[in-house]
Each structure stands twice: as structure tokens, then as C-alpha cells.
Amino acid sequence: MSPHDAAAAAPSGSEPPLVISVRSATGTGQTPLSAFDDALYDAGVGDLNLIALSSVVPPSAEIRRGDTGRLPATHGDRLYCVLSVAHAELRGASAWAGIGWTHAGEAGGYFVEHHGGSRSPSRS
């Protein structure tokens, strides 16, 4: 078990404050899967195992927008995440995805994922 896994498994009330890094990326590739992989590397998380979560933000979590670079993790570590993904398979087509959130400190909050073929659904 890595230090990152141990923090996630700590009993309630004893874990350090949770920092949520909101990142954005784009990717291209010959297939939707290779484009998704390219986007993961662009976001700095390409060597991690993604574990998708529902959209609940824990109380007292800190949300950081615009983080860049690799996360301080080891190849193969688990990364708990909320994803918003869109794919375009035709040359010249667009795909847009975005995440919004609400957070009220001790009350917690929620993420909401948007995706579509134009920028407007992801910017609501």
C-alpha cells in the first residue's frame, strides 16, 4: 500500500485535510481510447489508476483550480476522481467537457459534469 492509498484508507476524523485538484486537458489520437490516454498525460495523471467517484465533495475539502504538472504520486497509485469526458470521432468535430461545483465548507458540496459537441453546455 502506498502513502496515497493509506491516506485514503484512514479512519474518519483522522485523515489530513483533503485537497481536490481540478485539472483540464485535451488529447488526440487514432482512437478515442488513445486520445483519452493522451489527455490523461496532458493533465499530469497518465501513470495513475483512475477510480471514478460520484459527485459528492466532502466537508472541509479544499478545491484548487488550474493545477498543472504531475501529481506527487508513484506510477500505478490510485487516483480517486470525478471525470467529465467528451469524445469527437470525426475529423474537424468538437467535443467539450466541463465540471462545476458548489461547496459550503463543513456542509460539503457537489460536482456536476457537463459535456457536448460545443462549448456552451460545458460553460453553463
Side-chain angles (χ1 to χ4, degrees):
M1 181 178 285
S2 76
H4 307 289
D5 297 335
S12 181
S14 66
E15 62 266 349
L18 177 65
V19 175
I20 299 172
S21 172
V22 177
R23 294 163 174 257
S24 65
T26 60
T28 59
Q30 295 295 317
T31 66
L33 182 59
S34 66
F36 181 64
D37 190 54
D38 188 48
L40 293 177
Y41 277 95
D42 187 41
V45 298
D47 289 332
L48 305 177
N49 288 306
L50 303 182
I51 301 172
L53 301 174
S54 63
S55 302
V56 177
V57 178
S60 301
E62 176 188 346
I63 300 174
R64 290 188 189 155
R65 291 170 59 163
D67 280 353
T68 59
R70 289 185 48 102
L71 289 176
T74 304
H75 181 92
D77 278 353
R78 291 179 244 178
L79 177 63
Y80 298 94
C81 60
V82 175
L83 295 172
S84 183
V85 178
H87 300 278
E89 295 188 37
L90 299 175
R91 186 176 304 276
S94 292
W96 293 83
I99 292 182
W101 61 88
T102 180
H103 189 255
E106 290 299 320
Y110 298 94
F111 284 110
V112 60
E113 305 86 31
H114 298 278
H115 51 85
S118 69
R119 187 176 188 179
S120 56
S122 63
R123 300 210 32 113
S124 339

